[in-house]
Amino acid sequence: MRAVIATAAGGPEVLSVHEVPDVEPGPGEVAIAVVATAINRADLLQRQGFYPPPPGASDVIGLECSGTIAAVGEGVEQWSVGDEVCALLAGGGYASRVVVPAGQVMPVPDGVDLVTAAALPEVAATVWSNVFMVAGLKPHEAFLVHGGAGGIGTFAIQLASALGARVFTTGGTADKLAFCASLGADVTINYRDEDFVEAVKAATDGGGVDVILDNMGAKYLQRNVEALATEGRLVIIGMQGGSKGELDINALLRKRGAVIATSLRSRPSDEKATICASLVELVWPLVAEGLVRPIVHGTMSLDDVVAAHELMESGEHTGKIVLTV
């Protein structure tokens, strides 16, 4: 099979496509003939040597894919060879074949083509598990997602809007913020020339937002708490702005707020299976109705993985970057 191998920790230039031994499913697993995969920011960190795969996972980069079932392991009854699927992976997506626990495999939603489906599993699982399963965002609550034009942001805006929340988002250009508004964002904030805390307070009569999905970490920690409403929930899923910050506990106590840090990749397979089952039941129908859709900036060949990573690092994309295998 073909797979992208990182010859060392470093920039995009360390990535190249090689022939490697095929992988075969074990008990409870399936093998997928990969049609497409998608790039996530975690892939850049793994390439740089900062985000190793969890024990037992493939060393090949890639946290999601779409394709067809090529083989099923012992005890797998819900999938058959030839089924078109997408899957949430702990690794291995940048390849022509990948093995994954059967519970992390999902049908392709109606109305979504097989290549585009590669852009769904990671963002959908991240947004659904953190914003709704963990933070419990409710209809008519206010929700802020940072970086609304990215893969996670574009999905979060649509899903929160479709389920009745008032959506706030930040972005770095007028074009990106206009696109976020077209997806359902009610309030858009340019972080380059606006203070998002002041903008949130102005738009909520000082009340703040109920849930924040944050990928910045330390840089935004205290300001996120300031932007929370009473009993607000801050969910941190990334550290683009650093890993160590100061927090005014008194400010958090006064708001009876919560700060939650989560990681999807390192969760046990049974937890991921629960998330995937919930997606199929509650989110896939919204995708099928066209209320939520994967936003794909562009599609590139697996052989162009270096250019794809360079594009991801540039921040000039909107939505997901898909690699066809």
Side-chain angles (χ1 to χ4, degrees), residues 96-280:
S96 58
R97 186 178 172 102
V98 67
V99 165
V100 58
Q104 293 170 218
V105 179
M106 297 167 283
V108 175
D110 291 342
V112 178
D113 66 83
L114 189 56
V115 170
T116 302
L120 273 172
E122 179 70 16
V123 293
T126 297
V127 173
W128 181 250
S129 64
N130 288 295
V131 177
F132 295 92
M133 296 176 74
V134 172
L137 181 68
K138 302 177 181 64
H140 309 301
E141 285 192 320
F143 167 62
L144 167 64
V145 57
H146 289 295
I152 288 173
T154 53
F155 197 87
I157 289 168
Q158 294 179 83
L159 188 56
S161 178
L163 295 177
R166 185 184 183 199
V167 180
F168 294 64
T169 194
T170 60
T173 70
D175 287 346
K176 286 186 175 182
L177 291 175
F179 186 69
C180 290
S182 75
L183 295 178
D186 300 287
V187 179
T188 60
I189 305 161
N190 190 322
Y191 64 78
R192 298 187 189 277
D193 52 28
E194 296 179 82
D195 184 325
F196 75 81
V197 178
E198 293 181 2
V200 162
K201 289 183 176 179
T204 59
D205 296 324
V209 291
D210 301 286
V211 174
I212 299 175
L213 185 63
D214 173 67
N215 57 3
M216 292 301 293
K219 183 177 180 180
Y220 279 8
L221 178 58
Q222 185 57 44
R223 293 168 68 203
N224 277 329
V225 171
E226 293 172 9
L228 284 178
T230 300
E231 297 187 351
R233 293 86 74 194
L234 164 62
V235 185
I236 301 172
I237 59 170
M239 299 178 291
Q240 292 180 42
S243 61
K244 296 181 180 179
E246 291 189 3
L247 175 63
D248 182 350
I249 301 298
N250 189 38
L252 192 64
L253 286 170
R254 288 197 304 269
K255 295 187 175 186
R256 302 190 300 280
V259 177
I260 308 157
T262 74
S263 173
L264 180 61
R265 186 183 193 183
S266 60
R267 293 191 189 195
S269 182
D270 59 344
E271 291 186 18
K272 293 178 185 177
T274 297
I275 293 168
C276 289
S278 187
L279 284 175
V280 173

Side-chain angles (χ1 to χ4, degrees), residues 38-48 51 63 94 122 152 215 239-240 309 311-315 317 320:
I39 299 177
N40 292 278
R41 191 155 295 277
D43 300 349
L44 310 187
L45 294 174
Q46 181 172 339
R47 187 202 73 221
Q48 294 163 357
Y51 192 37
L63 299 178
Y94 290 19
E122 179 70 16
I152 288 173
N215 57 3
M239 299 178 291
Q240 292 180 42
H309 269 234
L311 174 59
M312 181 76 171
E313 288 187 334
S314 75
H317 62 292
K320 297 296 288 284

